[in-house]
């Protein structure tokens, strides 16, 4: 599992012209773009949620857990693009939708269980993600 984590001052996701998920940080929040690979499971999602929730990347070296920062979770299979050869990415490392969707949901649910306020995108939809990256801070988390 890979999560591209961005510290933000605002973020939303729109599908079909309608905002379906948004966070209102006070003052900071996180956007988690989530990619799932073939050997990920529910335990992977839980461990990633714990890591993300406790990561000290907010102001004054605090975590989302410390300040109750909201998190926008959006599926992003393109995090597993292989661009080593040629000009066309390969998506072989990305888990198929039937396996990935429940794990993205499990990550969001694990964050909620830890106490996070979580908004989400719609798995597999053509989404527009709007955000204001704060810092900028962008970190790639992997397990």
């Amino acid at each position: 599992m890979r999560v591209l984590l961005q510290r933000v001052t605002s973020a939303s996701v729109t599908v079909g012209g309608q905002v379906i998920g948004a966070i209102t940080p006070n003052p900071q929040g996180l956007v988690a773009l989530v990619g799932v690979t073939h050997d990920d499971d529910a335990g992977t999602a839980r461990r990633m949620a714990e890591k993300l929730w406790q990561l000290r990347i907010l102001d004054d070296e605090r975590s989302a857990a410390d300040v109750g920062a909201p998190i926008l979770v959006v599926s992003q299979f393109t995090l597993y693009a292989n661009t080593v050869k040629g000009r066309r990415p390969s998506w072989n490392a990305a888990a198929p939708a039937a396996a990935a969707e429940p794990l993205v949901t499990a990550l969001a649910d694990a964050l909620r269980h830890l106490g996070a306020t979580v908004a989400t995108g719609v798995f597999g939809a053509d989404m527009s993600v709007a955000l204001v990256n704060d810092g900028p801070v962008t970190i790639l988390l992997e397990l």
Side-chain angles (χ1 to χ4, degrees):
M1 183 172 279
R2 290 181 180 160
V3 172
L4 187 67
L5 190 62
Q6 296 182 298
R7 187 174 76 184
V8 299
T9 57
S10 65
S12 64
V13 61
T14 302
V15 176
Q18 299 220 335
V19 174
I20 52 94
I23 58 171
T24 307
N26 185 21
Q28 296 172 317
L30 299 171
V31 170
L33 303 175
V34 181
V36 177
T37 193
H38 300 283
D39 59 353
D40 291 336
D41 58 23
T44 307
R46 187 188 73 257
R47 288 189 310 277
M48 182 62 81
E50 291 167 356
K51 184 172 189 168
L52 188 162
W53 185 235
Q54 297 292 333
L55 195 65
R56 298 185 173 281
I57 62 169
L58 301 179
D59 285 345
D60 300 323
E61 295 185 17
R62 296 202 281 179
S63 68
D66 293 333
V67 299
I71 302 169
L72 176 62
V73 174
V74 179
S75 62
Q76 187 79 44
F77 79 94
T78 60
L79 289 175
Y80 277 100
N82 182 342
T83 59
V84 173
K85 293 170 65 178
R87 296 177 292 147
R88 183 177 300 146
S90 166
W91 312 112
N92 292 341
E101 183 174 10
L103 295 178
V104 173
T105 299
L107 174 72
D109 289 345
L111 286 166
R112 288 183 185 105
H113 181 74
L114 291 167
T117 298
V118 177
T120 63
V122 175
F123 189 92
D126 185 10
M127 296 179 274
S128 295
V129 179
L131 60 91
V132 177
N133 194 313
D134 183 31
V137 174
T138 302
I139 296 174
L140 181 61
L141 302 177
E142 292 186 274
L143 290 179

